[in-house]
Structures are given as C-alpha cells and as structure tokens.
Amino acid sequence: MKRGGQIIYSGPIGQHSSKLIEYFQGISGVPKIRDNYNPATWMLEITAPSVEDQLCVNFAQHYRDSLLHENNKKLVKQLSIPAPSSRDLHFPTRFPQNGWEQYKACLWKQNLSYWRSPRYNLVRVLFMTFASVLVGALYWQKGKKINNEQDLLNILGSIYVLIQFLGANSCTSVLPFIARERIVLYRETFSGMYSFWAYSFSQVTIEIPYTFFLSVLFVSITYPAIGFYWSIYKVFWYFYTMFCTLLYFNYLGMMLASLTPTIQVASVSASFCYTMMNLFSGFLIPGPAIPKWWIWSYWIWLTAWSMKGFFTSQYGDINTEIQVFGEQKAVSFFLHDYLGYNHDNLGVVAVVLLVYPLLFASLFTYSIGKINFQKR
C-alpha cells in the first residue's frame, strides 16, 4: 500500500520475490533490479512518490487496471461461497479465557507497568517521604504538648496540610498515567484480548499495595515525630484514615480521567475538587460554623471525613483540661463543641472513609469501558 491506503500490489510473492519483481518490472519505465539487491528495498524505492512523478505512473491506478486485480476479485468471490458441507465458525465465548484468567493476566500486566513507571511511583514515594519528614520536623513532639486551643489547632493544621498536599499529589499524578493506559485499553479490548472489566478491576487492585506502602511510610515517619499518644488503637486509626484518604484521592483521579476526553479537562475537574475539599474540610471554617444552607457540602466532601478520622481518633477520648479561649475545658469537649468531632461517631467515619474509595473505583470501572472518547 502507498500513502492514503491505496493498494499498489496484492498477490503472490513467489520464490525470492520473483512474482513481485516480475509485476513491477512489467510497468513501463521502472528500472530493473540489480543483482543481489534486496527486493523489499528495491520495491520501496521504485514506488516512492518522487519516482511516480518522474515516471508519470500511478501505481495504485495501474494495479486497479491490471489483470492481477481482476483475478484477485474473482478469487475473493469464489472463496466467499462456503462449501456445501461446511459450517460457520462459532465460538462459545467472545474471549479465549474466562474472567478470572483475564483478570490475572491484566493484573500481571499492570504489575509490570507500575514497576517500570518510576516517573509515577518513585516520584510519589519521594514526595511522601519529603512531606512527612518536613511536617514531622516542624511539629516535632508537639502531639502531647497541648496547653491551649492554639496548640491543638496547630496539630490540626499539620494534618490538614498533609491531607491536601499528599492527596492532591496522588490525584494529579495518576491522571496522565490513566490517560496513556486508556489508549492501550481501546486497542487491546477491540482485538478481543480481554474485557474492560478485567482491565478496570486490575487497575483498581494494583493501586492498593502501593497505597498501603505509602501509608506505612507516612505513619512510620509522622506518628513518632509528632509524638501522638502511643497505643495500637490510635496507630491503627491513624494508618486506616491515611490509607483510605490516599485511596479515594487515587480513585478520584482515575474516575476523572475515565469520565473526561482529555487530560486537560480532567486536570481542570480535579482542580475544582481540590478547591471544594479545601473550603469545606472543616479547618478553614469549622463544621458547626458553616451556614446551614451549605452544610450539605461539608458532609459530602471527603477531606472533612479524613480530618474527623485523624483528629477524633487521636484526641476525641482525651479528657485533659486545657485553656480554651480563657476557660478550662477538656480536649474532647473542645473538639465536640468547636469542631463538631464526636468520638462516638468514629464508626460512622470509618464506614464513610471506606465507601468513598469503593464508590470512585466502581465509577471508574464502569466508565472506562462504557465511555469511548476515540475520534470516529
């Protein structure tokens, strides 16, 4: 074929390309092939557009007018009529393997892809390490040194900054990765290699061990550095909240990449989400102080629940009295009265933190296969 998809030769090659050489040498003006010359190179040279202009020959038109083309059409018509005793090809399933085998193959593919993508995974590990060390150094051993409401709000601010920066970094970094992988998905699902369900479930699954590692890294650095209260219960809640937070930010980015046609649109959508999460996180404006007609936004945006998980688990059961706006009040009372954090609602927080990653992962799983942004 030549540029434009026009066929210039279709037929038998022959031994040592003898049939191909015979066809092109039969065209007036085409130079003969030299001895011991590569037939493929010779064919590409003589059919170049510049040679066509020199010879005033249209190879595509010459093929359409040739006897070879007529014979090919007759052969196609002859072979298109099935033999009387033959049966149509039939396959019981669309794919050669069942769903579980497809999932395992896609998971292994994703594993190799992630391991060979240091620009994505190594960068977010380094970013997590740097941010955790920085915050740990700034708030060194401040976790138990709570004398007044300002000390408590300083710790709250450190958690707020970590959630916003680490979450936004996770969401932003996953956008180009999913956008590139989507192109591969279009090609391989069209060829019948696997279903989009197998791909999307494997994509969701492969994020879990990396997020788990990042959460362990975060807890290992910040928890002893800030000096929170040591107990298995509090460490677990600290880890669980960070794990779910990173998961829903990752899955949010994956969902946005699957719902939008380009990475630019996905980035703009993600920026809008960051702004709303920042505004209604419960730090800039405490939950009880948000106007009633906006309180719904406080309840649905994710970072507010992460803040509750972090702070309620660490200080919601601490009854030590501190100086709060000139009065002596327990830490737990201040959290409930000023921030709206109630230790009794920690179970609800745990459920919500788990529901959001599942919701975003489900939307990604559905939309990546059902919404096709290929240009027709």
Side-chain angles (χ1 to χ4, degrees), residues 82 108 161 164 180 197 223 236 247 263 276 288 294 370:
W108 180 245
V161 170
Q164 292 295 329
R180 291 194 302 269
W197 293 108
Y223 202 92
F236 170 77
L247 266 187
I263 187 175
M276 299 302 291
W294 277 111
K370 294 298 183 179

Side-chain angles (χ1 to χ4, degrees), residues 68-86:
L68 176 63
H69 181 232
E70 293 297 325
N71 292 335
N72 285 337
K73 289 197 297 183
K74 293 179 181 178
L75 180 61
V76 169
K77 185 177 180 180
Q78 177 185 346
L79 296 177
S80 64
I81 302 174
S85 59
S86 64

Side-chain angles (χ1 to χ4, degrees), residues 216-232:
V216 171
L217 183 64
F218 169 80
V219 173
S220 302
I221 296 174
T222 59
Y223 202 92
I226 297 177
F228 290 113
Y229 293 91
W230 281 101
S231 73
I232 297 177

Side-chain angles (χ1 to χ4, degrees), residues 103 106-111 113-114 120-121 124 174 177-182 185 196-211 247 250-251 254-255 361 364-365 368:
Y103 170 76
C106 288
L107 186 60
W108 180 245
K109 171 182 175 292
Q110 294 290 355
N111 174 56
S113 179
Y114 269 59
Y120 174 48
N121 288 304
R124 60 177 178 169
V174 79
F177 189 84
I178 298 299
R180 291 194 302 269
E181 287 290 318
R182 182 169 58 183
L185 170 67
F196 74 89
W197 293 108
Y199 166 84
S200 56
F201 278 127
S202 66
Q203 182 71 64
V204 168
T205 305
I206 198 62
E207 282 288 345
I208 295 176
Y210 286 90
T211 304
L247 266 187
N250 276 340
Y251 292 159
M254 292 164 60
M255 181 192 70
F364 164 76
T365 300
I368 194 68

